[in-house]
Structures are given as structure tokens and as C-alpha cells.
DNA sequence: AGTGATTTTATGTGCATACATAATAAATTT
DNA sequence: AAATTTATTATGTATGCACATAAAATCACT
């Protein structure tokens, strides 16, 4: 009947998670405050704080000053998707990475693009389209618009060897961005590029990247059929 | 020429981010160690540590003991998707939530399902199919298998009023899970349920949930055409 | 009763210090 | 030269303490 001691925040976290999973603390319950837990666990309040903060970050606890800490009623699962450079993504799967530039030109973008990028309607942008391959089979089609006002050095690049995906990440700083996942039917052109049937369902990732108040780049990545983005919860 | 002081970890974080964005610290660069930064910022090392840890969590810094902290070469963007209960998701958009149970029966699942759930092949599971609606239009089709060995109370539920999505989250604890995003073409049945054209490209979320070593539930959520999952980076 | 000021309380954070740990670099041995 | 041991160093974390801050609860006053 020895009370176990919890010397580090990870073990406190584990115990807290155990209690939540075992329903010792049920959804909606107010759990004891940090000082009491520290006393019970035989550690400093700081340590309990660290552990509770970690659990709260994962969405299983709701914490509010003075109100205390309670078990989340409906834990919002937070799926964290790691969006890496496509070359790394492929190489990490143990596959051979291939790259092919399709087109590269300066052009006035369609309204949808200039709007999204908050760029003047008749302003020329750099338009790069390319294909990423894994073991010589089409993996993802990249359709990208780059704002030369923000990344003038981008105009000097051919993107024939290094993809815009990779070049930009290395050379264009950004402060924030947004990303959207959706499904779309392959147009005949997309089908040809990705070597799939027309109207195949494709996973699309649209990303818009900002540096301060100006848009750096807007990209759509279309993945081949049956492509999955996976993560653990 | 006063040296600004950084009294809290957030301001240190902001300054660190600024230096990275401004390329004062370039990708791959080793940054000064915590003690030096603490000295420079006029705060405790603990505070610098907290700030650097936060930045490292976001993927912009790589930290290794003894080796030091360096700016990530290719920052892996971490898109965090909040997967909430569908009802909340819809209500938070300010829409009216509707729910309709389609079928509910105990059945032997197809091989693909029993395999994924690591359930014996001829073992009966609870199969629930339902439709979630937003403002009376189909929003997501839920196709779920529940393991009654793990959640026996689940057999007593009708799922006519409360969706399995919501009921399970409230009543079935889980330790971990995996989630996959993909695109799929609507079958004729799915098209009918979701009121869309056959072969429409649909976004699919597949989730597999575990409690310890047993599978709690496996669910596929099919969203209506043009549905987007968005998040900020 | 209603309104506003005040107290209380739980979390949030900063700091100095100490020690733990991982990984590298240096020294030593084989 | 290779292998092993030892020292060094940067990050990782535990602790006690102090104070900050948000929000609930209470009290005071009209």
C-alpha cells in the first residue's frame, strides 16, 4: 500500500491519461487542482502544471484560470499532418524521387488565383507546373503561382532541376499560411499528367503562404488516385 | 541604443521567429545556446528554454542535446486538423444540425474491416450507417463498425437520436488511433445518400480507434462534394 | 434586487539553482 | 589505427518561491 511517486512530468502525464481513460475522471469532471495533485503525486506544482498543460494541448483537458481543470466533454481530436517537402516524403518511403517540369511562364493569373492571393488583377505572376514521381510513377502534380514582388530571386530560377516546392522552402521566408484538403475529379489534362483515368477522385492540398501582409505563393498539389494522408491520434 | 529586454517567453519566441524570418539565422544555422540567449535577452535560461521549445514544436527549430539548436533546413509544416464531433462542427458554422440513421445491424464484417480491426473473421460486429445534415442538406455519411466486446453498452443504443459519432466519444474511452484522409469516387448508393452525382469526388476520413490492444471502432466519414478541411499553418 | 467593488482562488509564468541526460570531443588504452 | 574510456557541453527537467492574471464568488452599497 505504498503510494507510488511521480518524479517527472511524463509519469504524471501518463497517470493523468490513465485516470481519464479509466473513467476515474469522467468527461466534464473537475479534477483536483494543481497543488493537491502535486501533494498527492509527491512532486512540485510546476511538474504537475507541465503535465496538465501537455494533456490540455492534446485536447483532453480544458483549463481555465480560477475555474480549474476539467476533462473535456468532447475531446477534439487533433490530427497533426506533417507536410514535408515532397522529395523527402518520397525518399522517406524508401522510393526513388523523380521530378519533371511541365511548364514555367510568367502570366496573368485567373481571377480565382489573383483574388486568393490578393494580387492586382492584371499583375503578372510566375506560374510553374511540375510533376513529382516516386519510383518513376506519377506521385503528385504541383500547380503553383509565385509572387515575384515578394520573391524576386524566384524569377531567376528555372525549376528544371530543383522543384519550386523545394526551392521556395529554402529561399522564401514566410510568416503564416493556410492549407485546405479536398477531393476533386481529375480533368482530362490532370488525368494525362498523373497517368490515371479521367474523373478519378484525387486528393488535393491547397496551400496559400504569406510573408507579413503579402502572399508569397499559392499552390495546389494533386495526388494520384488512392493516395492517403495518414497520421496517428 | 538601449537593449530591449524580453521578460516573458512569448516575447522571446516572437523575437526568435523574427530572426528566423528575417534570415538573421538562416536555415541550417546553429543558433546561440540557451545561456547566451538568456544573457542577451536579459531573462532566465528557463524562459529561453520555454520559448525555443515552443518554436521547435512548431517545426522551425531542431534541437539536440549537446549538439545545440539549429534552424530547420526544411521546416516540416505541421497542419493540425481539429476533428470535432460532427454536430459541433456544423453548429459552429452556424448551421442547423440534422441526423438520420440509415441502417443499424449486427453483422459479420467484410474481410477488409475485420482485418483492419484485427477482429476474428467470423466475429459479429455492430454496423451503423447514418447521415449527418447541415441545414437539411447532406453533410457527411458515416459508415461505422463497433466492437461490442470492447463497448458492450453500445449494443443497447439505437443510434436513432444520438449519432454513434457522438455516443462513442462520450462513452467509449480510447488510448490511441489512426486517421487517414483520401479521395474516393461516389458509388451509386453513396451518391444517393449524399444527394450528389455518381462518381463525384468525395473526401474520405478513415479512423481506427484503439483502447489498449483492442479495436474500439472503425469509421469512414464521406463528405459531400466540394467539402474542404481547412487549417492555418 | 441590482450593480459595482473587492476578495479569493486556480492557473500562468518567471527565476535561481541543481542535477540528469544525450551526444560530442578528447584522452587513453589496446 | 581502432577501440574504449572519460570529460565536456548543451539541452532537459525538477524544485521552491514569488508574483501575475483571469474569473468566480462575495460583499457593499444604492
Amino acid at each position: 500500500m505504498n503510494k507510488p511517486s511521480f518524479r517527472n512530468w511524463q509519469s504524471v502525464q501518463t497517470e493523468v491519461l490513465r485516470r481519464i481513460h479509466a473513467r476515474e475522471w469522467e468527461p466534464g469532471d473537475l479534477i483536483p487542482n494543481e497543488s493537491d495533485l502535486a501533494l498527492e503525486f509527491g512532486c512540485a506544482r510546476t511538474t504537475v502544471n507541465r503535465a496538465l498543460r501537455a494533456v490540455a494541448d492534446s485536447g483532453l483537458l480544458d483549463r481555465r484560470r480560477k475555474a480549474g481543470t476539467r476533462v473535456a466533454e468532447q475531446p477534439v481530436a487533433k490530427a497533426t499532418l506533417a507536410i514535408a517537402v515532397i522529395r523527402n516524403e518520397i525518399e522517406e518511403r524508401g522510393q526513388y524521387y523523380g521530378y519533371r517540369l511541365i511548364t514555367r511562364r510568367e502570366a496573368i493569373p485567373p481571377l480565382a488565383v489573383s483574388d486568393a492571393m490578393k494580387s492586382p488583377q492584371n499583375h503578372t505572376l510566375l506560374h510553374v507546373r511540375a510533376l513529382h514521381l516516386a519510383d518513376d510513377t506519377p506521385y503528385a502534380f504541383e500547380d503553383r503561382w509565385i509572387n515575384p514582388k515578394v520573391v524576386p530571386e524566384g524569377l531567376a530560377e528555372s525549376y528544371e532541376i530543383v522543384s519550386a516546392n523545394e526551392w521556395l522552402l529554402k529561399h522564401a521566408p514566410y510568416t503564416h499560411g493556410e492549407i485546405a484538403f479536398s477531393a476533386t475529379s481529375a480533368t482530362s489534362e490532370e488525368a494525362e499528367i498523373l497517368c490515371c483515368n479521367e474523373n478519378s477522385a484525387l486528393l488535393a492540398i491547397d496551400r496559400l503562404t504569406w510573408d507579413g501582409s503579402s502572399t508569397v505563393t499559392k499552390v495546389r498539389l494533386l495526388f494520384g488516385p488512392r493516395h492517403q494522408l495518414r497520421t496517428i491520434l
Side-chain angles (χ1 to χ4, degrees), chain A residues 7-10 44 47 50 64-65:
Chain A
R7 305 206 114 82
N8 55 44
W9 71 267
Q10 291 94 333
T47 308
R50 181 89 152 81
R64 266 168 59 219
R65 274 173 164 156

PDB file of all heavy atoms in Angstrom, chain A residues 7-10 44 47 50 64-65, chain D residues 13-16 18 21-24:
ATOM      1  N   ARG A   7       7.957  11.265 -10.272  1.00  0.00           N
ATOM      2  CA  ARG A   7       9.070  12.201 -10.186  1.00  0.00           C
ATOM      3  C   ARG A   7       9.197  13.103 -11.395  1.00  0.00           C
ATOM      4  O   ARG A   7       9.883  14.103 -11.342  1.00  0.00           O
ATOM      5  CB  ARG A   7      10.385  11.439 -10.102  1.00  0.00           C
ATOM      6  CG  ARG A   7      10.502  10.448  -9.023  1.00  0.00           C
ATOM      7  CD  ARG A   7      11.991  10.322  -8.725  1.00  0.00           C
ATOM      8  NE  ARG A   7      12.304  10.796  -7.403  1.00  0.00           N
ATOM      9  CZ  ARG A   7      12.132  10.043  -6.325  1.00  0.00           C
ATOM     10  NH1 ARG A   7      11.662   8.837  -6.435  1.00  0.00           N
ATOM     11  NH2 ARG A   7      12.436  10.534  -5.135  1.00  0.00           N
ATOM     12  N   ASN A   8       8.630  12.711 -12.508  1.00  0.00           N
ATOM     13  CA  ASN A   8       8.797  13.580 -13.677  1.00  0.00           C
ATOM     14  C   ASN A   8       7.455  13.844 -14.348  1.00  0.00           C
ATOM     15  O   ASN A   8       6.491  13.114 -14.139  1.00  0.00           O
ATOM     16  CB  ASN A   8       9.801  12.989 -14.662  1.00  0.00           C
ATOM     17  CG  ASN A   8       9.432  11.581 -15.088  1.00  0.00           C
ATOM     18  OD1 ASN A   8       8.285  11.316 -15.377  1.00  0.00           O
ATOM     19  ND2 ASN A   8      10.407  10.715 -15.129  1.00  0.00           N
ATOM     20  N   TRP A   9       7.419  14.877 -15.147  1.00  0.00           N
ATOM     21  CA  TRP A   9       6.129  15.290 -15.690  1.00  0.00           C
ATOM     22  C   TRP A   9       5.545  14.244 -16.625  1.00  0.00           C
ATOM     23  O   TRP A   9       4.327  14.094 -16.704  1.00  0.00           O
ATOM     24  CB  TRP A   9       6.224  16.664 -16.350  1.00  0.00           C
ATOM     25  CG  TRP A   9       6.987  16.714 -17.642  1.00  0.00           C
ATOM     26  CD1 TRP A   9       8.305  16.996 -17.806  1.00  0.00           C
ATOM     27  CD2 TRP A   9       6.456  16.502 -18.955  1.00  0.00           C
ATOM     28  NE1 TRP A   9       8.628  16.948 -19.131  1.00  0.00           N
ATOM     29  CE2 TRP A   9       7.520  16.665 -19.866  1.00  0.00           C
ATOM     30  CE3 TRP A   9       5.185  16.194 -19.451  1.00  0.00           C
ATOM     31  CZ2 TRP A   9       7.356  16.519 -21.236  1.00  0.00           C
ATOM     32  CZ3 TRP A   9       5.016  16.057 -20.821  1.00  0.00           C
ATOM     33  CH2 TRP A   9       6.095  16.220 -21.695  1.00  0.00           C
ATOM     34  N   GLN A  10       6.403  13.462 -17.292  1.00  0.00           N
ATOM     35  CA  GLN A  10       5.877  12.438 -18.190  1.00  0.00           C
ATOM     36  C   GLN A  10       5.085  11.385 -17.411  1.00  0.00           C
ATOM     37  O   GLN A  10       4.030  10.951 -17.848  1.00  0.00           O
ATOM     38  CB  GLN A  10       7.007  11.761 -18.959  1.00  0.00           C
ATOM     39  CG  GLN A  10       7.691  12.646 -19.982  1.00  0.00           C
ATOM     40  CD  GLN A  10       8.925  13.332 -19.428  1.00  0.00           C
ATOM     41  OE1 GLN A  10       9.009  13.558 -18.214  1.00  0.00           O
ATOM     42  NE2 GLN A  10       9.867  13.674 -20.289  1.00  0.00           N
ATOM     43  N   ALA A  44       6.562  18.680  -7.330  1.00  0.00           N
ATOM     44  CA  ALA A  44       6.288  20.117  -7.268  1.00  0.00           C
ATOM     45  C   ALA A  44       5.098  20.489  -8.149  1.00  0.00           C
ATOM     46  O   ALA A  44       4.790  19.789  -9.113  1.00  0.00           O
ATOM     47  CB  ALA A  44       7.512  20.898  -7.703  1.00  0.00           C
ATOM     48  N   THR A  47       5.706  20.715 -11.827  1.00  0.00           N
ATOM     49  CA  THR A  47       5.743  19.451 -12.569  1.00  0.00           C
ATOM     50  C   THR A  47       4.334  19.040 -12.982  1.00  0.00           C
ATOM     51  O   THR A  47       4.109  18.627 -14.119  1.00  0.00           O
ATOM     52  CB  THR A  47       6.391  18.364 -11.698  1.00  0.00           C
ATOM     53  OG1 THR A  47       7.641  18.853 -11.222  1.00  0.00           O
ATOM     54  CG2 THR A  47       6.612  17.098 -12.486  1.00  0.00           C
ATOM     55  N   ARG A  50       3.207  21.258 -15.819  1.00  0.00           N
ATOM     56  CA  ARG A  50       3.769  20.852 -17.109  1.00  0.00           C
ATOM     57  C   ARG A  50       2.983  19.694 -17.698  1.00  0.00           C
ATOM     58  O   ARG A  50       2.655  19.684 -18.888  1.00  0.00           O
ATOM     59  CB  ARG A  50       5.237  20.456 -16.898  1.00  0.00           C
ATOM     60  CG  ARG A  50       5.978  20.041 -18.146  1.00  0.00           C
ATOM     61  CD  ARG A  50       6.614  21.237 -18.805  1.00  0.00           C
ATOM     62  NE  ARG A  50       7.807  20.885 -19.554  1.00  0.00           N
ATOM     63  CZ  ARG A  50       7.796  20.375 -20.776  1.00  0.00           C
ATOM     64  NH1 ARG A  50       6.660  20.142 -21.382  1.00  0.00           N
ATOM     65  NH2 ARG A  50       8.933  20.104 -21.393  1.00  0.00           N
ATOM     66  N   ARG A  64      -9.080  26.491 -17.214  1.00  0.00           N
ATOM     67  CA  ARG A  64      -9.361  27.929 -17.146  1.00  0.00           C
ATOM     68  C   ARG A  64      -8.965  28.437 -15.776  1.00  0.00           C
ATOM     69  O   ARG A  64      -9.221  27.796 -14.759  1.00  0.00           O
ATOM     70  CB  ARG A  64     -10.835  28.217 -17.440  1.00  0.00           C
ATOM     71  CG  ARG A  64     -11.075  28.536 -18.905  1.00  0.00           C
ATOM     72  CD  ARG A  64     -12.541  28.525 -19.258  1.00  0.00           C
ATOM     73  NE  ARG A  64     -13.301  29.495 -18.473  1.00  0.00           N
ATOM     74  CZ  ARG A  64     -14.510  29.270 -18.003  1.00  0.00           C
ATOM     75  NH1 ARG A  64     -15.091  28.106 -18.214  1.00  0.00           N
ATOM     76  NH2 ARG A  64     -15.146  30.188 -17.313  1.00  0.00           N
ATOM     77  N   ARG A  65      -8.346  29.581 -15.784  1.00  0.00           N
ATOM     78  CA  ARG A  65      -7.914  30.170 -14.519  1.00  0.00           C
ATOM     79  C   ARG A  65      -9.100  30.278 -13.576  1.00  0.00           C
ATOM     80  O   ARG A  65     -10.197  30.603 -14.006  1.00  0.00           O
ATOM     81  CB  ARG A  65      -7.366  31.567 -14.784  1.00  0.00           C
ATOM     82  CG  ARG A  65      -5.916  31.545 -15.162  1.00  0.00           C
ATOM     83  CD  ARG A  65      -5.462  32.905 -15.582  1.00  0.00           C
ATOM     84  NE  ARG A  65      -4.002  32.970 -15.593  1.00  0.00           N
ATOM     85  CZ  ARG A  65      -3.294  33.817 -16.323  1.00  0.00           C
ATOM     86  NH1 ARG A  65      -3.907  34.649 -17.120  1.00  0.00           N
ATOM     87  NH2 ARG A  65      -1.998  33.816 -16.268  1.00  0.00           N
TER      88      ARG A  65
ATOM     89  P    DT D  13      12.121  17.506 -21.111  1.00  0.00           P
ATOM     90  OP1  DT D  13      11.424  16.237 -21.349  1.00  0.00           O
ATOM     91  OP2  DT D  13      11.608  18.770 -21.653  1.00  0.00           O
ATOM     92  O5'  DT D  13      12.289  17.677 -19.540  1.00  0.00           O
ATOM     93  C5'  DT D  13      12.887  16.631 -18.801  1.00  0.00           C
ATOM     94  C4'  DT D  13      13.131  17.096 -17.390  1.00  0.00           C
ATOM     95  O4'  DT D  13      14.144  18.120 -17.357  1.00  0.00           O
ATOM     96  C3'  DT D  13      11.902  17.719 -16.692  1.00  0.00           C
ATOM     97  O3'  DT D  13      11.781  17.054 -15.476  1.00  0.00           O
ATOM     98  C2'  DT D  13      12.307  19.157 -16.474  1.00  0.00           C
ATOM     99  C1'  DT D  13      13.809  18.989 -16.305  1.00  0.00           C
ATOM    100  N1   DT D  13      14.627  20.210 -16.428  1.00  0.00           N
ATOM    101  C2   DT D  13      15.484  20.515 -15.408  1.00  0.00           C
ATOM    102  O2   DT D  13      15.600  19.825 -14.407  1.00  0.00           O
ATOM    103  N3   DT D  13      16.216  21.659 -15.578  1.00  0.00           N
ATOM    104  C4   DT D  13      16.171  22.511 -16.665  1.00  0.00           C
ATOM    105  O4   DT D  13      16.877  23.513 -16.716  1.00  0.00           O
ATOM    106  C5   DT D  13      15.247  22.139 -17.708  1.00  0.00           C
ATOM    107  C7   DT D  13      15.120  22.983 -18.939  1.00  0.00           C
ATOM    108  C6   DT D  13      14.527  21.014 -17.545  1.00  0.00           C
ATOM    109  P    DA D  14      10.385  16.808 -14.835  1.00  0.00           P
ATOM    110  OP1  DA D  14      10.074  15.392 -15.061  1.00  0.00           O
ATOM    111  OP2  DA D  14       9.453  17.868 -15.250  1.00  0.00           O
ATOM    112  O5'  DA D  14      10.688  16.999 -13.279  1.00  0.00           O
ATOM    113  C5'  DA D  14      11.710  16.224 -12.676  1.00  0.00           C
ATOM    114  C4'  DA D  14      12.145  16.923 -11.420  1.00  0.00           C
ATOM    115  O4'  DA D  14      13.056  17.985 -11.769  1.00  0.00           O
ATOM    116  C3'  DA D  14      11.000  17.565 -10.644  1.00  0.00           C
ATOM    117  O3'  DA D  14      11.055  17.119  -9.297  1.00  0.00           O
ATOM    118  C2'  DA D  14      11.232  19.069 -10.768  1.00  0.00           C
ATOM    119  C1'  DA D  14      12.721  19.166 -11.059  1.00  0.00           C
ATOM    120  N9   DA D  14      13.068  20.297 -11.918  1.00  0.00           N
ATOM    121  C8   DA D  14      12.646  20.530 -13.196  1.00  0.00           C
ATOM    122  N7   DA D  14      13.132  21.635 -13.735  1.00  0.00           N
ATOM    123  C5   DA D  14      13.938  22.150 -12.728  1.00  0.00           C
ATOM    124  C6   DA D  14      14.738  23.309 -12.672  1.00  0.00           C
ATOM    125  N6   DA D  14      14.850  24.173 -13.662  1.00  0.00           N
ATOM    126  N1   DA D  14      15.421  23.538 -11.524  1.00  0.00           N
ATOM    127  C2   DA D  14      15.296  22.649 -10.519  1.00  0.00           C
ATOM    128  N3   DA D  14      14.579  21.536 -10.462  1.00  0.00           N
ATOM    129  C4   DA D  14      13.912  21.341 -11.611  1.00  0.00           C
ATOM    130  P    DT D  15       9.929  17.561  -8.311  1.00  0.00           P
ATOM    131  OP1  DT D  15       9.894  16.514  -7.293  1.00  0.00           O
ATOM    132  OP2  DT D  15       8.718  17.959  -9.050  1.00  0.00           O
ATOM    133  O5'  DT D  15      10.546  18.874  -7.663  1.00  0.00           O
ATOM    134  C5'  DT D  15      11.841  18.826  -7.063  1.00  0.00           C
ATOM    135  C4'  DT D  15      12.142  20.184  -6.478  1.00  0.00           C
ATOM    136  O4'  DT D  15      12.603  21.067  -7.522  1.00  0.00           O
ATOM    137  C3'  DT D  15      10.921  20.862  -5.843  1.00  0.00           C
ATOM    138  O3'  DT D  15      11.176  21.088  -4.468  1.00  0.00           O
ATOM    139  C2'  DT D  15      10.754  22.162  -6.610  1.00  0.00           C
ATOM    140  C1'  DT D  15      12.116  22.360  -7.250  1.00  0.00           C
ATOM    141  N1   DT D  15      12.076  23.087  -8.536  1.00  0.00           N
ATOM    142  C2   DT D  15      12.889  24.183  -8.686  1.00  0.00           C
ATOM    143  O2   DT D  15      13.627  24.573  -7.814  1.00  0.00           O
ATOM    144  N3   DT D  15      12.791  24.812  -9.908  1.00  0.00           N
ATOM    145  C4   DT D  15      11.970  24.454 -10.961  1.00  0.00           C
ATOM    146  O4   DT D  15      11.982  25.097 -11.998  1.00  0.00           O
ATOM    147  C5   DT D  15      11.142  23.295 -10.737  1.00  0.00           C
ATOM    148  C7   DT D  15      10.220  22.832 -11.807  1.00  0.00           C
ATOM    149  C6   DT D  15      11.233  22.675  -9.550  1.00  0.00           C
ATOM    150  P    DG D  16       9.947  21.369  -3.504  1.00  0.00           P
ATOM    151  OP1  DG D  16      10.119  20.489  -2.351  1.00  0.00           O
ATOM    152  OP2  DG D  16       8.680  21.369  -4.266  1.00  0.00           O
ATOM    153  O5'  DG D  16      10.237  22.875  -3.059  1.00  0.00           O
ATOM    154  C5'  DG D  16      11.567  23.250  -2.674  1.00  0.00           C
ATOM    155  C4'  DG D  16      11.644  24.763  -2.597  1.00  0.00           C
ATOM    156  O4'  DG D  16      11.760  25.311  -3.935  1.00  0.00           O
ATOM    157  C3'  DG D  16      10.419  25.430  -1.968  1.00  0.00           C
ATOM    158  O3'  DG D  16      10.874  26.466  -1.098  1.00  0.00           O
ATOM    159  C2'  DG D  16       9.639  25.995  -3.163  1.00  0.00           C
ATOM    160  C1'  DG D  16      10.754  26.290  -4.159  1.00  0.00           C
ATOM    161  N9   DG D  16      10.356  26.199  -5.559  1.00  0.00           N
ATOM    162  C8   DG D  16       9.485  25.294  -6.126  1.00  0.00           C
ATOM    163  N7   DG D  16       9.340  25.452  -7.413  1.00  0.00           N
ATOM    164  C5   DG D  16      10.165  26.524  -7.734  1.00  0.00           C
ATOM    165  C6   DG D  16      10.419  27.158  -8.973  1.00  0.00           C
ATOM    166  O6   DG D  16       9.959  26.878 -10.088  1.00  0.00           O
ATOM    167  N1   DG D  16      11.322  28.206  -8.846  1.00  0.00           N
ATOM    168  C2   DG D  16      11.902  28.601  -7.662  1.00  0.00           C
ATOM    169  N2   DG D  16      12.737  29.626  -7.733  1.00  0.00           N
ATOM    170  N3   DG D  16      11.674  28.016  -6.487  1.00  0.00           N
ATOM    171  C4   DG D  16      10.799  26.991  -6.597  1.00  0.00           C
ATOM    172  P    DA D  18       8.478  33.462  -0.981  1.00  0.00           P
ATOM    173  OP1  DA D  18       9.141  34.257   0.063  1.00  0.00           O
ATOM    174  OP2  DA D  18       7.231  32.729  -0.684  1.00  0.00           O
ATOM    175  O5'  DA D  18       8.210  34.395  -2.242  1.00  0.00           O
ATOM    176  C5'  DA D  18       9.311  34.894  -2.995  1.00  0.00           C
ATOM    177  C4'  DA D  18       8.781  35.499  -4.272  1.00  0.00           C
ATOM    178  O4'  DA D  18       8.427  34.430  -5.192  1.00  0.00           O
ATOM    179  C3'  DA D  18       7.507  36.317  -4.052  1.00  0.00           C
ATOM    180  O3'  DA D  18       7.741  37.665  -4.394  1.00  0.00           O
ATOM    181  C2'  DA D  18       6.461  35.673  -4.960  1.00  0.00           C
ATOM    182  C1'  DA D  18       7.272  34.795  -5.901  1.00  0.00           C
ATOM    183  N9   DA D  18       6.575  33.560  -6.281  1.00  0.00           N
ATOM    184  C8   DA D  18       6.089  32.595  -5.447  1.00  0.00           C
ATOM    185  N7   DA D  18       5.501  31.596  -6.067  1.00  0.00           N
ATOM    186  C5   DA D  18       5.620  31.937  -7.408  1.00  0.00           C
ATOM    187  C6   DA D  18       5.199  31.290  -8.579  1.00  0.00           C
ATOM    188  N6   DA D  18       4.555  30.125  -8.590  1.00  0.00           N
ATOM    189  N1   DA D  18       5.468  31.895  -9.752  1.00  0.00           N
ATOM    190  C2   DA D  18       6.115  33.069  -9.734  1.00  0.00           C
ATOM    191  N3   DA D  18       6.560  33.772  -8.697  1.00  0.00           N
ATOM    192  C4   DA D  18       6.279  33.143  -7.549  1.00  0.00           C
ATOM    193  P    DT D  21      -0.082  40.923 -15.144  1.00  0.00           P
ATOM    194  OP1  DT D  21       0.340  41.182 -16.533  1.00  0.00           O
ATOM    195  OP2  DT D  21      -0.481  42.013 -14.233  1.00  0.00           O
ATOM    196  O5'  DT D  21      -1.261  39.862 -15.182  1.00  0.00           O
ATOM    197  C5'  DT D  21      -1.083  38.676 -15.940  1.00  0.00           C
ATOM    198  C4'  DT D  21      -2.356  37.875 -15.888  1.00  0.00           C
ATOM    199  O4'  DT D  21      -2.453  37.176 -14.633  1.00  0.00           O
ATOM    200  C3'  DT D  21      -3.636  38.712 -15.995  1.00  0.00           C
ATOM    201  O3'  DT D  21      -4.478  38.046 -16.901  1.00  0.00           O
ATOM    202  C2'  DT D  21      -4.198  38.699 -14.584  1.00  0.00           C
ATOM    203  C1'  DT D  21      -3.765  37.313 -14.139  1.00  0.00           C
ATOM    204  N1   DT D  21      -3.682  37.064 -12.673  1.00  0.00           N
ATOM    205  C2   DT D  21      -4.053  35.824 -12.216  1.00  0.00           C
ATOM    206  O2   DT D  21      -4.441  34.938 -12.944  1.00  0.00           O
ATOM    207  N3   DT D  21      -3.947  35.662 -10.853  1.00  0.00           N
ATOM    208  C4   DT D  21      -3.524  36.598  -9.932  1.00  0.00           C
ATOM    209  O4   DT D  21      -3.476  36.333  -8.748  1.00  0.00           O
ATOM    210  C5   DT D  21      -3.149  37.877 -10.482  1.00  0.00           C
ATOM    211  C7   DT D  21      -2.669  38.971  -9.573  1.00  0.00           C
ATOM    212  C6   DT D  21      -3.245  38.046 -11.811  1.00  0.00           C
ATOM    213  P    DA D  22      -5.560  38.825 -17.743  1.00  0.00           P
ATOM    214  OP1  DA D  22      -5.057  38.923 -19.113  1.00  0.00           O
ATOM    215  OP2  DA D  22      -5.988  40.036 -17.001  1.00  0.00           O
ATOM    216  O5'  DA D  22      -6.748  37.778 -17.718  1.00  0.00           O
ATOM    217  C5'  DA D  22      -6.462  36.406 -17.961  1.00  0.00           C
ATOM    218  C4'  DA D  22      -7.472  35.560 -17.232  1.00  0.00           C
ATOM    219  O4'  DA D  22      -7.179  35.552 -15.821  1.00  0.00           O
ATOM    220  C3'  DA D  22      -8.914  36.043 -17.380  1.00  0.00           C
ATOM    221  O3'  DA D  22      -9.684  34.918 -17.743  1.00  0.00           O
ATOM    222  C2'  DA D  22      -9.283  36.580 -15.998  1.00  0.00           C
ATOM    223  C1'  DA D  22      -8.350  35.788 -15.079  1.00  0.00           C
ATOM    224  N9   DA D  22      -7.907  36.487 -13.868  1.00  0.00           N
ATOM    225  C8   DA D  22      -7.474  37.770 -13.744  1.00  0.00           C
ATOM    226  N7   DA D  22      -7.105  38.095 -12.520  1.00  0.00           N
ATOM    227  C5   DA D  22      -7.317  36.936 -11.790  1.00  0.00           C
ATOM    228  C6   DA D  22      -7.121  36.617 -10.431  1.00  0.00           C
ATOM    229  N6   DA D  22      -6.648  37.477  -9.526  1.00  0.00           N
ATOM    230  N1   DA D  22      -7.430  35.368 -10.030  1.00  0.00           N
ATOM    231  C2   DA D  22      -7.893  34.505 -10.943  1.00  0.00           C
ATOM    232  N3   DA D  22      -8.121  34.682 -12.242  1.00  0.00           N
ATOM    233  C4   DA D  22      -7.812  35.934 -12.608  1.00  0.00           C
ATOM    234  P    DA D  23     -11.135  35.066 -18.293  1.00  0.00           P
ATOM    235  OP1  DA D  23     -11.269  34.091 -19.392  1.00  0.00           O
ATOM    236  OP2  DA D  23     -11.448  36.504 -18.473  1.00  0.00           O
ATOM    237  O5'  DA D  23     -11.970  34.537 -17.055  1.00  0.00           O
ATOM    238  C5'  DA D  23     -11.632  33.287 -16.487  1.00  0.00           C
ATOM    239  C4'  DA D  23     -12.291  33.186 -15.141  1.00  0.00           C
ATOM    240  O4'  DA D  23     -11.589  33.991 -14.171  1.00  0.00           O
ATOM    241  C3'  DA D  23     -13.743  33.682 -15.116  1.00  0.00           C
ATOM    242  O3'  DA D  23     -14.491  32.718 -14.424  1.00  0.00           O
ATOM    243  C2'  DA D  23     -13.678  34.972 -14.322  1.00  0.00           C
ATOM    244  C1'  DA D  23     -12.540  34.635 -13.363  1.00  0.00           C
ATOM    245  N9   DA D  23     -11.895  35.776 -12.734  1.00  0.00           N
ATOM    246  C8   DA D  23     -11.610  37.002 -13.274  1.00  0.00           C
ATOM    247  N7   DA D  23     -11.006  37.817 -12.431  1.00  0.00           N
ATOM    248  C5   DA D  23     -10.889  37.079 -11.274  1.00  0.00           C
ATOM    249  C6   DA D  23     -10.346  37.369 -10.015  1.00  0.00           C
ATOM    250  N6   DA D  23      -9.783  38.537  -9.706  1.00  0.00           N
ATOM    251  N1   DA D  23     -10.392  36.399  -9.070  1.00  0.00           N
ATOM    252  C2   DA D  23     -10.943  35.222  -9.378  1.00  0.00           C
ATOM    253  N3   DA D  23     -11.491  34.834 -10.534  1.00  0.00           N
ATOM    254  C4   DA D  23     -11.431  35.813 -11.444  1.00  0.00           C
ATOM    255  P    DA D  24     -16.043  32.528 -14.735  1.00  0.00           P
ATOM    256  OP1  DA D  24     -16.177  31.435 -15.710  1.00  0.00           O
ATOM    257  OP2  DA D  24     -16.650  33.854 -14.976  1.00  0.00           O
ATOM    258  O5'  DA D  24     -16.553  31.979 -13.329  1.00  0.00           O
ATOM    259  C5'  DA D  24     -15.775  30.997 -12.650  1.00  0.00           C
ATOM    260  C4'  DA D  24     -15.737  31.314 -11.183  1.00  0.00           C
ATOM    261  O4'  DA D  24     -14.995  32.533 -10.955  1.00  0.00           O
ATOM    262  C3'  DA D  24     -17.112  31.524 -10.550  1.00  0.00           C
ATOM    263  O3'  DA D  24     -17.226  30.634  -9.459  1.00  0.00           O
ATOM    264  C2'  DA D  24     -17.117  32.982 -10.099  1.00  0.00           C
ATOM    265  C1'  DA D  24     -15.631  33.286  -9.947  1.00  0.00           C
ATOM    266  N9   DA D  24     -15.261  34.676 -10.171  1.00  0.00           N
ATOM    267  C8   DA D  24     -15.452  35.424 -11.304  1.00  0.00           C
ATOM    268  N7   DA D  24     -14.976  36.640 -11.221  1.00  0.00           N
ATOM    269  C5   DA D  24     -14.429  36.692  -9.947  1.00  0.00           C
ATOM    270  C6   DA D  24     -13.762  37.727  -9.243  1.00  0.00           C
ATOM    271  N6   DA D  24     -13.533  38.929  -9.760  1.00  0.00           N
ATOM    272  N1   DA D  24     -13.346  37.450  -7.992  1.00  0.00           N
ATOM    273  C2   DA D  24     -13.579  36.227  -7.485  1.00  0.00           C
ATOM    274  N3   DA D  24     -14.193  35.188  -8.049  1.00  0.00           N
ATOM    275  C4   DA D  24     -14.594  35.491  -9.285  1.00  0.00           C
TER     276       DA D  24
END
